[in-house]
Amino acid sequence: MMLEIDRLTAGYGRVRVLHEVSLDVGEGEIVALVGPNGAGKSTLLRAVTAMIPDRSGTLVLAGRSLIGASVEAVAAAGVAHVPEGRRLFPGLTVRDNLRLGGWLGRNKDLAPVLEMFPVLGDRLSQVAGSLSGGEQQMCAIARALMSRPKLLLIDELSLGLAPLLVDEILARLGGIAAAGTGILLVEQDAGAALEVAHRGYVLELGEVVLAGTTAELAADPRMRSAYLGGEWEADAASEPGGT
Amino acid sequence: MSQFLQATVYGLLQGGLLALIAVGFSLVWGVMNVINLAHGAFVLVGAYLTFELNQRFGLDPFAAIVPVGIALFAAGYLVQRGLINMVVKAPIFITLLLTFGLELVLVNGLVLLYSGDYRSVTTGYAGDGFTLLTGVRVPLGRLLAAAVALAITLVLVAVMRHTRTGLAILATGMDRGAARLMGIRARHVYALTFGIATAMAGTAGAAVSAVGTFSPADAGRFTLFSFVAAVLGGLGNMYGALIGGIVLGLVEAWGGQLLPGTLVNAVAFGVLVVVLAVRPQGIAGRAFYASRVEV
């Protein structure tokens, strides 16, 4: 396993947000983490990258424990985090943002990420703050990939983006995973996330309430009624024998 | 007319020196959100260190820029790492209190060691100069001080824009949390930034020692000028602080021609108020450090 989380508890000060969460991500695997607002999805990602220093349990990346490691050390261990709100460096150019992504490994080779997101190639000299929402999200993912991570964490990829654009960006994740990177994808839009993921976890009030392969989750009645709603009902209806 | 030109030349040269002081102050403010009230005290530490090197080893004040710069960098790095990093995420009042305390310690330390008397470092050439066609005199020492100040400032700006370390400093200033996610060690970057700023203050102090007299009581004045120049130029904008410093030098020189000496500071603040009323973002416009997000 690339990432193994076992009974992880984390929170802010005395407020516990995550209660003994167990979860794992394999090499080259896309894992979706879905659930309602405030379930602790973002907190889980922040706990992995030590942005919340207050955490306990088991957190192992490629055989190495990350409990007690600093944010910088987690990055050095091979975790790239596309945080909530993207957090690009707004006053710097797209080129500088990408170079900062490759800061640790001194990676200046932009070609692979520009091949994945060609639109960024036309924007290299533009400051990141002037990009459109979709371009910013692509830039944030490209910046994360510049570190050639073992594990990629993406928080709310679809937030504020048009559905077509979300599909376009999600479609790139398969290629990233195929190169061996494990991806943990936090999404509000459960339907979109499960379309690209191999497995998924449902988080509610800081606890994993449901886990399984994408097909298992899609078939689960609780999942269908709570998170997938009309979209998947419609898909099911269009299949032969569906109702 | 020639008196006005003389004041203008003097103001530009003095402004170059003020700019060197202000750029370091502005850098720390922009990157760390720390208003370093001890900045002027570091200028004087540099001046007295130069004085000491000159007295003991006969070292030329402009040659002393190198050892003074290195010593002040090291001191600044350690002060940030050991002291200011503890409060860097605290409310601004706490950082003001801490740097004000640091200023008191440094200034009174200097008074203890050197008394409050005015000192200067004399050279054989600083008083020499040449006369321009219009009858304006340019003293060599001041010209040299301004040239060194400008060169150091421009090198710093180039380093910030075009090197790996500079990029890390800018990124940390914009979004500390995101920079850490890139693997950039924010504590180290902060200490480096503070070290660069104190080194600039120290080298400015070496130049100050060569062109005039100084006493520990000048610390507050240098901090004040840095503050005005930094705000004039636009917060955290290094080119802005450079322009702000030069504007301040000119205002000071022109004001000195027309007004009694003690009113010159009032003129400087008058200009600050007018600029902020007309252009709240400062002379250089767009603030470089557009946003700041904490982890």
Side-chain angles (χ1 to χ4, degrees), chain B residues 8-49:
Chain B
T8 306
V9 167
Y10 175 86
L12 283 173
L13 296 179
Q14 175 72 3
L17 202 49
L18 291 179
L20 178 59
I21 302 172
V23 167
F25 181 83
S26 181
L27 181 70
V28 167
W29 194 344
V31 171
M32 298 191 277
N33 207 19
V34 166
I35 298 176
N36 178 19
L37 293 180
H39 194 69
F42 284 112
V43 175
L44 284 162
V45 170
Y48 278 100
L49 206 52

Side-chain angles (χ1 to χ4, degrees), chain A residues 2-241:
Chain A
M2 187 59 83
L3 174 72
E4 293 173 71
I5 298 175
D6 193 29
R7 279 169 294 164
L8 180 73
T9 297
Y12 304 88
R14 295 183 64 182
V15 183
R16 299 271 132 238
V17 178
L18 298 176
H19 310 280
E20 306 207 326
V21 170
S22 298
L23 173 157
D24 49 60
V25 181
E27 198 172 317
E29 189 181 33
I30 304 178
V31 173
L33 185 60
V34 300
N37 257 336
K41 307 187 296 292
S42 296
T43 303
L44 178 66
L45 297 194
R46 292 165 66 84
V48 172
T49 44
M51 289 173 92
I52 303 168
D54 194 10
R55 63 226 161 107
S56 59
T58 311
L59 184 57
V60 176
L61 180 83
R64 196 182 135 190
S65 173
L66 296 182
I67 291 287
S70 66
V71 177
E72 295 92 331
V74 172
V79 180
H81 185 176
V82 180
E84 206 173 0
R86 298 164 198 135
R87 306 271 291 261
L88 292 173
F89 302 107
L92 296 180
T93 62
V94 170
R95 181 182 289 107
D96 282 346
N97 268 278
L98 296 180
R99 277 176 60 198
L100 281 162
W103 201 83
L104 268 178
R106 296 173 179 264
N107 176 22
K108 289 177 190 158
D109 182 13
L110 307 183
V113 297
L114 293 184
E115 198 177 312
M116 191 170 295
F117 301 107
V119 67
L120 294 178
D122 306 328
R123 302 273 185 272
L124 282 178
S125 304
Q126 212 169 307
V127 293
S130 70
L131 298 178
S132 73
E135 288 165 353
Q136 286 194 15
Q137 189 60 275
M138 292 183 204
C139 187
I141 295 173
R143 180 180 69 175
L145 290 176
M146 284 295 291
S147 66
R148 303 193 181 110
K150 295 189 179 103
L151 177 72
L152 176 62
L153 311 176
I154 305 179
D155 202 346
E156 294 291 1
L157 182 143
S158 69
L159 202 70
L161 302 186
L164 263 179
L165 208 51
V166 173
D167 289 343
E168 192 190 326
I169 299 175
L170 281 174
R172 309 292 159 77
L173 298 187
I176 297 168
T181 302
I183 300 177
L184 182 56
L185 177 67
V186 159
E187 257 303 334
Q188 191 87 355
D189 182 352
L194 292 182
E195 267 175 52
V196 295
H198 302 114
R199 286 189 300 120
Y201 292 84
V202 180
L203 206 60
E204 276 177 13
L205 296 172
E207 288 177 56
V208 173
V209 294
L210 206 58
T213 64
T214 314
E216 285 165 3
L217 289 179
D220 192 288
R222 283 175 296 169
M223 183 73 191
R224 291 174 63 149
S225 63
Y227 301 109
L228 297 173
E231 190 188 334
W232 281 62
E233 303 275 2
D235 282 355
S238 68
E239 281 165 21

Side-chain angles (χ1 to χ4, degrees), chain A residues 72 75 87 90 103 106 143, chain B residues 164 175 180 182 184 186 291:
Chain A
E72 295 92 331
R87 306 271 291 261
W103 201 83
R106 296 173 179 264
R143 180 180 69 175
Chain B
R164 181 178 149 80
D175 188 336
R180 295 183 75 198
M182 308 292 118
I184 296 168
S291 71

Side-chain angles (χ1 to χ4, degrees), chain B residues 73-97:
Chain B
F73 173 81
Y77 187 97
L78 293 174
V79 163
Q80 171 65 31
R81 197 77 199 232
L83 197 64
I84 299 177
N85 256 337
M86 292 195 288
V87 300
V88 84
K89 279 160 61 175
I92 195 140
F93 178 70
I94 304 292
T95 61
L96 284 175
L97 208 61

